[in-house]
Amino acid sequence: MNIGEAAKASGVSAKMIRYYETIGLIAAAERAVSGYRVYSAADVSTLRFIRRARDLNFSVEQIKDLLGLWGDRNRASADVKRLALRHVEELEARMRQLQEMATTLRDLAEHCHGDDRPDCPIIRDLASAADPHPSGAARKAGGFDAISARRTP
């Protein structure tokens, strides 16, 4: 099948298939006499494997490792499990970071009047990150700590 058919059958875009070939995630496709790429059912299975791994947010390096384990019939399932659990830890750490970001933004938004006045703790917080040496006075203007989005005593 050609790249368009492989893309449709695997759920991976033709552009991504070419990219995966370029970075060595998949082997370069066979070429027809015309020069067009030709993909086999095995290639499509590999692309589906990659697609599912990407859906689970595995990195390209992790997918390379998974593909190696998938192709190794002498592998220990413990190796696969270890890789998966390490990825779970990474995902959980990112979820904590995202939750912290959402909490900070929610707190900043709660302290923003949302009216016609220009004073805004959200902007103040973003600006404090742009200043490499924020002064304590700038951070805690008006009894409000723009970095932590908390009222100061």
Side-chain angles (χ1 to χ4, degrees), residues 62-127:
Q62 290 168 323
I63 294 172
K64 284 181 183 179
D65 292 342
L66 287 167
L67 284 167
L69 290 166
W70 185 39
D72 180 3
R73 296 296 174 203
N74 295 315
R75 72 179 171 266
S77 63
D79 294 336
V80 181
K81 183 176 181 176
R82 187 173 17 265
L83 194 151
L85 290 177
R86 187 173 38 230
H87 185 56
V88 168
E89 290 174 6
E90 293 167 2
L91 290 172
E92 288 173 341
R94 285 212 321 267
M95 289 186 324
R96 285 188 297 275
Q97 290 172 336
L98 289 170
Q99 187 59 51
E100 289 171 10
M101 285 187 263
T103 298
T104 297
L105 285 171
R106 189 177 298 108
D107 287 347
L108 287 167
E110 285 176 10
H111 290 93
C112 181
H113 295 288
D115 56 18
D116 293 336
R117 296 185 298 178
D119 183 50
C120 177
I122 302 166
I123 293 296
R124 198 168 44 238
D125 180 78
L126 295 171

